[in-house]
């Protein structure tokens, strides 16, 4: 049986204190023996902002197809605006299980430089908002995204403090400054459509039935606890085996849980490499709920991918990279 483990939790009041020594918690969550994830509790205003945005996901997904088509951006390879069926599942089939809405919560237009936009369309493109059909989405998306970024910068500060103890890493080369300088953070609002028959849904038996095995490539990812709804009413997830699974450095697969009012943060590959393996990025996936009670179940969640700027010069360590996870293929 797959074990279930809670994340390491850091209260926001401790995280705010830049003099606090959180190295034990950072190591426990992100270090060589950690799960590559920890969560922050007690963030003021978070509960309401999470609810505001996640409640809009079903409304967005159920807009008329014509409206959603206008929110698509093929130029950015669907990395801005609405995306449905553009990605592939591990089986190679189009992913029709979920729809995504992508936007930069900090900057609507990170650059006006046309050659840059052409070269890096997924990073330098402009946001597309449903101004007339769902005007409240923009404010809700930006408000939650900015809060998760601000808390993420505090997490990054304490990560840098932990790493520099051992490496003497210069301040401006740490995760905090890399994330702070970036103009291309990306928020992703996800909506998982209700399966007509949960046992017949695509790849339903697979552990990675909702989101395939992958390792985040950026610096730091912020995650909300998902909202489950059925017929428009919020309910607890009816299947205890559904949720986030992580593969540890020893190859063990564990289910990871955190609370509704906590923001979870995962390490990306860039941070693992720059920290010479002292902070670890772990492969993870999401398992869909199964069984009769899961029929007609919807899931809404949000992730913020904090990543280096498109022209950030990353100073890679020459030696001591430690063990860097490769992407898992199952």
């Amino acid at each position: 049986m797959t074990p279930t483990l809670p994340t390491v939790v850091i209260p926001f009041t401790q995280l705010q204190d830049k003099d606090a020594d959180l190295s034990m918690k950072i190591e426990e969550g992100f270090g060589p023996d950690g799960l590559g994830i920890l969560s922050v509790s007690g963030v003021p205003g978070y509960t309401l902002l999470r609810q505001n945005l996640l409640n809009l996901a079903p409304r967005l997904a159920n807009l008329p197809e014509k409206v959603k088509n206008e929110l698509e951006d093929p130029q950015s390879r669907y990395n801005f605006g609405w995306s449905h069926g553009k990605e592939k599942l591990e089986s190679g089939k189009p992913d029709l299980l979920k729809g995504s809405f992508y936007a930069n919560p900090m900057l609507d237009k990170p650059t006006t430089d046309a050659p840059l936009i052409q070269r890096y369309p997924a990073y330098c493109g402009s946001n597309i908002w449903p101004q007339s059909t769902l005007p409240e989405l923009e404010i809700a998306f930006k408000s939650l995204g900015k809060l998760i970024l601000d808390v993420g910068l505090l997490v990054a500060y304490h990560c840098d403090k932990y790493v520099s103890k051992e490496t003497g890493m210069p301040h401006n080369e740490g995760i905090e400054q890399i994330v702070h300088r970036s103009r291309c953070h990306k928020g992703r609002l996800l909506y998982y459509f209700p399966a007509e028959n949960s046992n017949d849904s695509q790849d339903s038996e697979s552990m990675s039935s909702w989101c395939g095995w992958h390792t985040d490539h950026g610096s730091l990812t912020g995650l909300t606890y998902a909202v489950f709804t059925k017929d428009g009413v919020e309910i607890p997830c009816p299947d205890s085996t559904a949720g986030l699974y992580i593969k540890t450095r020893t190859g063990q697969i564990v289910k990871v849980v955190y609370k509704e009012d906590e923001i979870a943060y995962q390490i990306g590959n860039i941070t693992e490499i720059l920290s010479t393996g002292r902070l670890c990025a772990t492969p993870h996936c999401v398992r869909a709920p199964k069984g009769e009670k899961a029929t007609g179940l919807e899931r809404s969640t949000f992730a913020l991918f904090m990543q280096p700027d498109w022209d950030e010069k990353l100073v890679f360590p020459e030696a001591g990279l430690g063990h860097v996870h490769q992407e898992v293929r199952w």
Side-chain angles (χ1 to χ4, degrees):
M1 191 174 163
T2 306
T4 298
L5 299 175
T7 54
V8 171
V9 183
I10 299 178
F12 181 69
T13 48
Q14 288 182 22
L15 195 71
Q16 267 185 310
D17 181 359
K18 293 203 166 180
D19 295 325
D21 182 4
L22 300 180
S23 54
M24 279 181 69
K25 289 208 168 184
I26 295 292
E27 183 169 348
E28 196 184 341
F30 291 154
D33 298 320
L35 296 172
I37 187 170
L38 56 74
S39 58
V40 179
S41 64
V43 177
Y46 169 67
T47 301
L48 181 62
L49 294 183
R50 168 184 167 269
Q51 205 73 39
N52 286 349
L53 180 60
L54 299 193
N55 284 348
L56 293 175
R59 288 176 58 192
L60 174 68
N62 289 299
L63 287 174
E65 288 304 317
K66 183 178 179 293
V67 173
K68 288 187 289 188
N69 290 343
E70 289 167 2
L71 296 172
E72 290 184 345
D73 183 22
Q75 180 72 27
S76 69
R77 297 188 287 276
Y78 302 95
N79 277 279
F80 283 94
W82 177 252
S83 172
H84 181 221
K86 310 302 178 189
E87 298 170 45
K88 285 190 166 63
L89 294 166
E90 288 170 335
S91 62
K93 299 174 193 168
D95 183 359
L96 300 172
L97 301 174
K98 60 181 174 283
S100 299
F101 185 86
Y102 296 95
N104 181 333
M106 307 307 290
L107 297 164
D108 278 320
K109 195 185 282 280
T111 180
T112 55
D113 186 321
L116 267 180
I117 294 166
Q118 194 173 357
R119 188 176 180 185
Y120 306 119
Y123 296 92
C124 299
S126 299
N127 289 336
I128 306 166
W129 300 108
Q131 302 284 15
S132 58
T133 47
L134 198 62
E136 55 268 58
L137 178 67
E138 181 179 352
I139 295 166
F141 194 108
K142 288 178 175 178
S143 301
L144 182 61
K146 285 174 181 171
L147 181 67
I148 292 175
L149 176 62
D150 288 344
V151 177
L153 285 166
L154 291 173
V155 172
Y157 170 84
H158 287 283
C159 285
D160 289 344
K161 207 169 156 186
Y162 165 72
V163 171
S164 63
K165 263 185 182 177
E166 298 183 43
T167 64
M169 173 186 66
H171 175 65
N172 69 333
E173 290 174 15
I175 324 167
E176 184 194 16
Q177 287 305 307
I178 288 171
V179 169
H180 180 70
R181 284 192 291 265
S182 178
R183 292 163 287 177
C184 58
H185 302 306
K186 187 64 62 76
R188 183 183 187 185
L189 178 63
L190 294 116
Y191 173 76
Y192 293 76
F193 290 91
E196 288 176 23
N197 183 331
S198 63
N199 290 322
D200 293 340
S201 67
Q202 290 167 304
D203 300 42
S204 67
E205 289 305 311
S206 164
M207 183 175 280
S208 54
S209 48
W210 251 352
C211 181
W213 283 102
H214 66 285
T215 307
D216 293 350
H217 66 263
S219 301
L220 195 63
T221 303
L223 300 167
T224 65
Y225 185 91
V227 165
F228 291 91
T229 49
K230 199 169 187 176
D231 302 322
V233 179
E234 187 175 338
I235 61 166
C237 180
D239 180 3
S240 62
T241 67
L244 178 66
Y245 285 79
I246 282 176
K247 188 174 188 184
T248 69
R249 289 193 172 191
T250 60
Q252 185 186 22
I253 291 173
V254 299
K255 181 174 184 280
V256 176
V257 292
Y258 54 97
K259 292 182 180 168
E260 195 173 311
D261 62 348
E262 294 170 0
I263 309 173
Y265 288 90
Q266 283 185 289
I267 292 292
N269 276 333
I270 289 287
T271 294
E272 172 154 350
I273 294 166
L274 294 177
S275 69
T276 61
R278 285 170 176 83
L279 304 169
C280 67
T282 46
H284 50 279
C285 71
V286 182
R287 184 175 198 158
K290 293 184 298 181
E292 216 172 291
K293 287 184 180 175
T295 301
L297 190 71
E298 307 158 274
R299 178 181 187 258
S300 304
T301 193
F302 179 77
L304 178 68
F305 301 99
M306 291 161 264
Q307 52 204 7
D309 201 59
W310 58 81
D311 65 357
E312 179 75 41
K313 289 181 173 62
L314 298 171
V315 183
F316 289 99
E318 289 178 23
L321 278 177
H323 173 74
V324 178
H325 261 303
Q326 299 304 307
E327 187 161 327
V328 172
R329 299 191 184 279
W330 288 59

